[in-house]
Amino acid sequence: MPPIFTPKPTPPLVLSFAASDPTGGAGIQADLLTLASMGCHPLSVITALTVQDTAGVDEILVIDSEWVMDQARMLLEDVPVAAFKLGMLGSPESMAVIAEILADYPDIPVVLDPVLASGRGDEFTTDDMISAMRDLLIPQASIITPNSHEARRLALFDSDDDDMDLAACAKHLIDLGCEYVLITGTHETTPRVLNSLYSLDGHVQTDAWDRLPGSYHGSGCTLASAIAATLAYGQEMPLAVREAQNFTYETLKAAFRPGMGQYIPERFFWAQDVQTEGNA
C-alpha cells in the first residue's frame, strides 16, 4: 500500500504592495527576501518599475492602478493572507484602489512603510500622493514605520521642520486613525539610534541601537516587512516590533556593498553563519 501523502502546513502568507528594485536592495525584492528569511511565504503586487542602482533612482514607471487592483484581487480570491505590507505605491490612484482592497479585509494587519524618497534623496511622492496616504491608507494601518523626516513631513503635510517634536508627530499620525506609529531615529543626531513606538495611549517603548557605519539601501523596507512577518505569526505589536528590529539590526551588521553606492542588508545572515560553521 503506498504511503499516505500528508501536505505540509502552509506558512503565513504576506502580501506586499511595492515597486521593483533591480538591485535587490529595497522595494519588492527586499520584502520578498525578508519575508522568506523569517519563514513566511511572500506574495507580491508590483506598483512601479524603477531604473536604479545602489546609489539612487533615475526613473520610475508607475503601473496602472487597474493592474495593481487586478494583481491583488486575483491573489486574494485564491489564497488567505495573514498580513499586508505597503511600500512605494506609485500614484494616488493606486493608493485609492489599495485602500478599497484593504477595507474588504479589516481583520488583517496592515504595515505601512511611507516611502517618500530614496536614501539619496530622490523624490518618490507628490503632495497629492501624501494627501492620499494620509486620507486613505494611514486610517487603515495597524502600524506605520516612518523615519523621523518622513514622520515630520506626514504630520505637517508640506513641511519638514526638524525642530518638531517626534512624539507630537506620532500623536498627529495616530489621530489620523492608525493604531501604532514606529518612528525610527536613523536620521537623527542622537549617539544611538532610538526607535520609538507610539499608540493611542501614547509612548509604548523605545529601543536603542548602536549606530553602524555606512549607508544602507533597503533598511526601512526590511524593518517594515519583518514587522509584517512577526504579525503574520500572531505576535502582539510591541513584541513584533522589537523582534523585527532585532532581525533588521542583524541584517545591517552583515550588510555587503555590491556596487559603488550603499550597503545592502543581508537578510539571510543566519544562512551565512551556518555555511561558515559548516566550512570550519
Side-chain angles (χ1 to χ4, degrees):
M1 184 175 179
I4 298 175
F5 173 72
T6 303
K8 294 181 63 176
T10 301
L13 307 180
V14 178
L15 176 54
S16 173
F17 295 80
S20 175
D21 174 6
T23 73
I28 201 75
Q29 287 85 346
D31 298 345
L32 302 185
L33 287 166
T34 300
L35 293 167
S37 181
M38 297 190 71
C40 294
H41 179 73
L43 307 169
S44 59
V45 169
I46 307 298
T47 58
L49 304 178
T50 65
V51 176
Q52 66 175 295
D53 58 17
T54 58
V57 179
D58 280 355
E59 295 185 71
I60 299 174
L61 175 64
V62 174
I63 301 299
D64 184 87
S65 61
E66 290 190 9
W67 277 66
V68 171
M69 179 174 63
D70 290 345
Q71 289 179 77
R73 290 294 189 193
M74 195 161 189
L75 281 171
L76 291 165
E77 288 170 4
D78 180 44
V79 297
V81 170
F84 292 110
K85 188 268 179 180
L86 312 183
M88 203 273 273
L89 303 179
S91 70
E93 292 77 16
S94 288
M95 291 181 182
V97 300
I98 291 169
E100 182 181 328
I101 291 166
L102 297 179
D104 291 338
Y105 300 89
D107 297 328
I108 297 177
V110 176
V111 180
L112 171 59
D113 178 17
V115 182
L116 305 185
S118 72
R120 186 175 66 180
D122 307 298
E123 189 65 33
F124 290 160
T125 54
T126 63
D127 286 351
D128 285 345
M129 292 171 67
I130 293 177
S131 180
M133 188 180 298
R134 288 162 50 94
D135 293 343
L136 302 175
L137 296 177
I138 289 178
Q140 297 195 68
S142 306
I143 182 171
I144 64 173
T145 60
N147 61 41
S148 55
H149 291 343
E150 292 166 339
R152 292 186 177 104
R153 188 172 174 188
L154 287 170
L156 296 175
F157 185 44
D158 60 355
S159 176
D160 190 14
D161 182 359
D162 288 339
D163 294 328
M164 185 174 184
D165 179 72
L166 291 176
C169 290
K171 183 181 185 306
H172 184 77
L173 295 173
I174 292 287
D175 288 344
L176 292 177
C178 62
E179 296 178 38
Y180 289 88
V181 176
L182 175 67
I183 301 181
T184 59
T186 53
H187 292 76
E188 299 298 283
T189 58
T190 52
R192 303 182 77 197
V193 175
L194 303 177
N195 299 334
S196 296
L197 181 66
Y198 301 87
S199 72
L200 185 62
D201 296 326
H203 178 261
V204 177
Q205 66 193 34
T206 294
D207 297 296
W209 305 91
D210 292 336
R211 288 193 177 274
L212 298 172
S215 176
Y216 302 93
H217 180 52
S219 57
C221 302
T222 303
L223 176 59
S225 294
I227 294 173
T230 51
L231 292 176
Y233 271 100
Q235 294 202 7
E236 296 297 321
M237 187 66 75
L239 181 57
V241 166
R242 184 158 287 154
E243 291 200 3
Q245 289 179 82
N246 278 322
F247 174 87
T248 303
Y249 192 70
E250 292 298 325
T251 71
L252 299 181
K253 287 200 301 182
F256 55 94
R257 191 177 184 226
M260 295 180 289
Q262 294 177 298
Y263 285 80
I264 289 179
E266 174 53 274
R267 286 95 181 184
F268 283 89
F269 61 88
W270 51 266
Q272 301 296 333
D273 292 341
V274 170
Q275 292 180 16
T276 301
E277 292 172 3
N279 293 329

